[in-house]
Amino acid sequence: EVQLLESGGGLVHPGGSLRLSCAASGFTFSNFVMSWVRQAPGKGLEWVSNINGNAGSTYYADSVKGRFTVSRDNSKNTLFLQMNSLRAEDTAVYYCAKCLGTRCNVFDYWGQGTLVTVSS
Amino acid sequence: DIQMTQSPSSLSASVGDRVTITCRASQSVTSYLNWYQQKPGKAPKLLIYAASTLHSGVSSRFSGSGSGTDFTLTISSLQPEDIATYYCQQSYSSLTWTFGQGTKVEI
């Protein structure tokens, strides 16, 4: 059974940093592209970032480019999202998601999410 | 970026009704169109991918159709457990995955 468990969310001041983690199990982690998708309170879904299986390629939404960094530790089956220079508009539930296909054609499994609140 | 527009934004139907949600892309996404269900307070779940392929374990009440710019998600007989918000998502545009704004289904 595929399981994804995010952690690391919390309250942070504007301009601050936070590191999210996503522990994966139930599949061969290193074989799959992984993603972060976020959802602001009461709003829709927004793709944030992707990383391929060997961490050789990373991609970011324009809204977070230059501030967020995605990484992974395949030896620990864990995905990370380092978030710097946080803004109020980054407040959201952050989900990690497993991708199907080398281009991440679909997000087939999602974690339960972790809430990030950026406020003074 | 490819924009995804869903209609309606919300709907109310009765148990047993046939429910249809549409999703329109601002340009062709061929069949790179997925549908997700999100129940209140829960993470999204994949329902249908590649426009019409049912994800493993998903009820056959759900079906998808369409290609190019116009897509449809159909619930053949609405059940109480189908109360949720439904999102379409395109994966045609390289490096920019976009979602529709969501359709809230109520009974």
Side-chain angles (χ1 to χ4, degrees), chain A residues 37 39 43-47 50 59-62 95 100 103-113, chain B residues 32 34 36 38 42-46 48-49 55-56 87 89 91-97 99-101:
Chain A
V37 178
Q39 185 171 36
K43 302 298 184 182
L45 300 166
E46 179 189 18
W47 168 76
N50 280 4
Y59 308 97
Y60 301 93
D62 287 344
Y95 297 102
L100 270 184
R103 285 184 64 252
C104 191
N105 295 323
V106 59
F107 308 114
D108 62 342
Y109 291 97
W110 300 60
Q112 88 293 343
Chain B
Y32 287 96
N34 309 310
Y36 302 87
Q38 186 177 33
K42 301 294 187 182
K45 287 186 176 180
L46 175 65
I48 289 169
Y49 62 97
H55 183 51
S56 175
Y87 294 93
Q89 175 246 332
S91 57
Y92 176 81
S93 178
S94 293
L95 313 183
T96 307
W97 291 257
F99 294 85
Q101 81 280 12

Side-chain angles (χ1 to χ4, degrees), chain A residues 19-90:
Chain A
R19 190 193 198 203
L20 306 184
S21 300
C22 172
S25 62
F27 63 102
T28 305
F29 182 69
S30 59
N31 285 355
F32 292 91
V33 177
M34 296 295 294
S35 293
W36 289 98
V37 178
R38 69 184 181 183
Q39 185 171 36
K43 302 298 184 182
L45 300 166
E46 179 189 18
W47 168 76
V48 172
S49 180
N50 280 4
I51 184 169
N52 73 347
N54 65 10
S57 297
T58 57
Y59 308 97
Y60 301 93
D62 287 344
S63 57
V64 306
K65 200 172 295 183
R67 300 187 299 121
F68 289 12
T69 302
V70 62
S71 61
R72 63 193 297 162
D73 184 340
N74 287 342
S75 69
K76 296 183 179 179
N77 292 347
T78 303
L79 175 71
F80 302 101
L81 186 67
Q82 177 67 43
M83 304 185 296
N84 299 331
S85 303
L86 282 162
R87 307 166 179 167
E89 54 265 35
D90 296 319

Side-chain angles (χ1 to χ4, degrees), chain B residues 23 25-27 36 40 45 50 54-55 58 63 68 85 89 91 96 98 100 103:
Chain B
C23 176
S26 59
Q27 64 187 75
Y36 302 87
K45 287 186 176 180
L54 208 61
H55 183 51
V58 173
S63 64
T85 299
Q89 175 246 332
S91 57
T96 307
T98 49
T103 295

Side-chain angles (χ1 to χ4, degrees), chain B residues 5-57:
Chain B
T5 303
Q6 291 181 230
S7 61
S9 296
S10 65
L11 67 90
S12 181
S14 300
V15 172
D17 282 355
R18 183 180 183 88
V19 170
T20 299
I21 299 169
T22 63
C23 176
R24 176 163 288 176
S26 59
Q27 64 187 75
S28 176
V29 298
T30 64
S31 294
Y32 287 96
L33 191 286
N34 309 310
W35 290 97
Y36 302 87
Q37 175 194 64
Q38 186 177 33
K39 296 184 178 181
K42 301 294 187 182
K45 287 186 176 180
L46 175 65
L47 290 178
I48 289 169
Y49 62 97
S52 60
T53 303
L54 208 61
H55 183 51
S56 175

